[in-house]
Amino acid sequence: MQVNELLQLVDEAVYLNTGKRLNDLQRGVIEGTLKYQKYADIAENCGCSAGHAKDVGYELLKMLSDIFDEPVDKSNLKSVLERQGNVNISLVNNSSNIFGNGCINIGSKQPKTKPDKSHAGNSKLKQKDQNKTQIEKISKLRYFGLNDEQIAEVLELPLEVIKQVESDN
């Protein structure tokens, strides 16, 4: 896979698990890491300090380790992404596949959250956020051409739950 394809894979994986896209610095850190650059060089290209680039890189690698459920560091990032990019999910219409190889890792796990140390009243808010994330995942999977039965299997949810979410198509 090319660097741009791997960047797109990371962006999609992060989005599907956090609801947020990579910012310019995060993209620069991933791209530099894939090109085996040192943090000082990445920082120079991105217009920040080496320490800041290293901190951003550490957080990203930690997040990717959680998303892909395997250790990710600077030395194995490329091989992890290439392996994750080749996890097969049958697509009904391969022409909608952004990676061009019929393969994509959707990241069916719930987003990782830190333990809630506040009052129990926040549990409704957390549930609402989790529901929103699941709805976004369902919409994204439909965009990639999966039918409701396939989505239910990928997300490990009852088919009835999937069918309750309005289709954007």
Side-chain angles (χ1 to χ4, degrees), residues 14-42:
V14 168
Y15 177 74
L16 288 170
N17 284 272
T18 68
K20 296 179 182 177
R21 296 286 185 183
L22 295 177
N23 63 35
D24 291 344
L25 178 56
Q26 291 170 323
R27 290 181 70 84
V29 168
I30 294 294
E31 183 175 358
T33 301
L34 291 170
K35 293 179 178 178
Y36 306 106
Q37 294 178 339
K38 296 180 187 241
Y39 281 118
D41 297 326
I42 294 169

Side-chain angles (χ1 to χ4, degrees), residues 47-65:
C48 68
S49 71
H52 186 58
K54 189 172 185 175
D55 291 343
V56 169
Y58 173 80
E59 289 300 320
L60 271 170
L61 294 172
K62 190 169 89 170
M63 183 187 322
L64 292 174
S65 294

Side-chain angles (χ1 to χ4, degrees), residues 98-159:
I98 59 176
F99 299 110
N101 64 357
C103 306
I104 184 170
N105 179 27
I106 296 299
S108 62
K109 297 183 292 183
Q110 287 285 335
K112 301 284 183 179
T113 55
K114 295 179 182 171
D116 187 9
K117 296 177 184 174
S118 61
H119 298 89
N122 285 340
S123 64
K124 284 185 179 181
L125 184 59
K126 283 176 99 178
Q127 183 63 42
K128 185 176 180 181
D129 286 345
Q130 286 178 342
N131 289 345
K132 182 179 177 191
T133 302
Q134 286 295 73
I135 289 170
E136 289 171 353
K137 285 181 184 179
I138 292 167
S139 296
K140 187 65 116 177
L141 290 169
R142 284 182 176 145
Y143 171 79
F144 283 123
L146 274 68
N147 63 36
D148 287 352
E149 290 79 13
Q150 292 168 321
I151 295 170
E153 185 175 333
V154 168
L155 297 180
E156 298 175 351
L157 293 171
L159 181 58

Side-chain angles (χ1 to χ4, degrees), residues 1-16 21-22 27 30 34 68 81 96-100 104-105 140 143-144:
M1 290 182 124
Q2 299 296 318
V3 171
N4 285 341
E5 292 173 312
L6 295 173
L7 266 170
Q8 200 166 8
L9 172 66
V10 172
D11 189 52
E12 286 299 318
V14 168
Y15 177 74
L16 288 170
R21 296 286 185 183
L22 295 177
R27 290 181 70 84
I30 294 294
L34 291 170
F68 296 135
L81 293 178
S96 68
N97 181 0
I98 59 176
F99 299 110
I104 184 170
N105 179 27
K140 187 65 116 177
Y143 171 79
F144 283 123

